[in-house]
Amino acid sequence: PVQLVTPENVSEFVLADFPLHHAYPYLSVVHRSDYIRAYLLHHYGGGWHDVKATEVSFENCWEEISNSDIWLIGRPELPNGAAPVFLENGESISMHWDKLITVPAWIGRKQTAFSKELLEGIEQILDENYELLRRYPAKHAREKFTKPKNLLHRTLLFIKKTAEGRNPNYPLEWTLFGNVFHPLVLKYQTHVSKKLPVDSIKNAGVYHR
């Protein structure tokens, strides 16, 4: 069965013992999606696909996930597709792009070390930014933090984002999910399969805008 998760029905998936993070109401729509997919993966498992058109099906992948050694099935990442984060040894995660899978679509097993650390990692970022999120909640669906290069750049960003109806002080990076997801894919790569079908038009799904 396929379920479209919306603001109207998301509460149906929230477990009584595991409420949504208290920062959730202050997040952009994109970052709510980032959080919800981690929540659903850990507590329910199953397949996730962003609201993007696709020409492929997950139908023949479920047998793969029935193997208890496989925790996650995804599409191979592209050379420039990794989140801009650094590992503990100082290496950029992009150096290991060939070991990664893409963010927008995957099938995952619930209650694994991967899913647990993914949800906890995102919640830790929300904890660290909670007060800023309360003071500067998202005003735009695609809100993101942009690091200013200097004082002039900061001023220009403030003017531009304000004119666009965005919150110039929103604290979360665009790649919130990938910042946690990609390092964990690398860490648990022996439990990750790359056998999810790939769209020939666009790796993340058929181009949609």
Side-chain angles (χ1 to χ4, degrees):
V2 177
Q3 175 68 61
L4 180 65
V5 182
T6 70
E8 290 71 35
N9 69 10
V10 67
S11 61
E12 299 174 14
F13 301 97
V14 178
L15 303 176
D17 293 337
F18 299 96
L20 298 182
H21 193 279
H22 44 281
Y24 185 81
Y26 309 114
L27 302 179
S28 71
V29 171
V30 169
H31 286 147
R32 289 184 187 186
S33 171
D34 285 349
Y35 177 73
I36 285 297
R37 73 186 70 188
Y39 184 97
L40 294 177
L41 171 62
H42 183 59
H43 292 297
Y44 292 92
W48 173 273
H49 201 294
D50 281 2
V51 180
K52 293 178 170 70
T54 182
E55 60 182 0
V56 298
S57 171
F58 286 5
E59 183 177 2
N60 296 323
C61 297
W62 298 104
E63 185 175 348
E64 177 88 355
I65 201 68
S66 67
N67 179 351
S68 60
D69 288 333
I70 299 298
W71 298 349
L72 199 66
I73 307 172
R75 297 169 176 160
E77 187 55 276
L78 298 175
N80 60 350
V85 292
F86 293 88
L87 304 173
E88 292 181 357
N89 62 7
E91 290 182 346
S92 169
I93 191 71
S94 62
M95 295 177 61
H96 304 278
W97 65 269
D98 57 329
K99 301 181 182 70
L100 306 178
I101 60 173
T102 62
V103 166
W106 33 262
I107 296 174
R109 180 181 293 276
K110 69 177 182 178
Q111 300 290 338
T112 64
F114 178 96
S115 67
K116 180 175 184 292
E117 291 180 38
L118 177 65
L119 182 58
E120 288 178 348
I122 293 176
E123 290 188 334
Q124 181 179 341
I125 294 173
L126 298 185
D127 285 341
E128 293 168 353
N129 289 276
Y130 178 65
E131 289 305 322
L132 285 174
L133 285 165
R134 277 187 43 174
R135 290 171 59 190
Y136 308 111
K139 296 180 179 180
H140 191 279
R142 297 170 66 84
E143 203 81 79
K144 66 177 180 179
F145 169 76
T146 305
K147 185 176 181 179
K149 299 175 182 177
N150 49 49
L151 182 58
L152 176 59
H153 189 218
R154 181 189 298 273
T155 303
L156 292 175
L157 282 174
F158 184 89
I159 295 172
K160 180 177 184 292
K161 289 190 175 185
T162 301
E164 293 173 344
R166 299 173 186 259
N167 192 331
N169 296 307
Y170 184 76
L172 298 184
E173 296 180 341
W174 177 254
T175 54
L176 169 65
F177 185 84
N179 288 356
V180 183
F181 181 81
H182 276 148
L184 288 175
V185 170
L186 184 62
K187 177 180 178 180
Y188 291 111
Q189 60 182 286
T190 57
H191 296 286
V192 177
S193 164
K194 297 180 182 177
K195 294 184 178 180
L196 201 69
V198 176
D199 285 293
S200 61
I201 300 175
K202 190 169 186 282
N203 198 40
V206 177
Y207 193 68
H208 61 292
R209 68 176 185 274

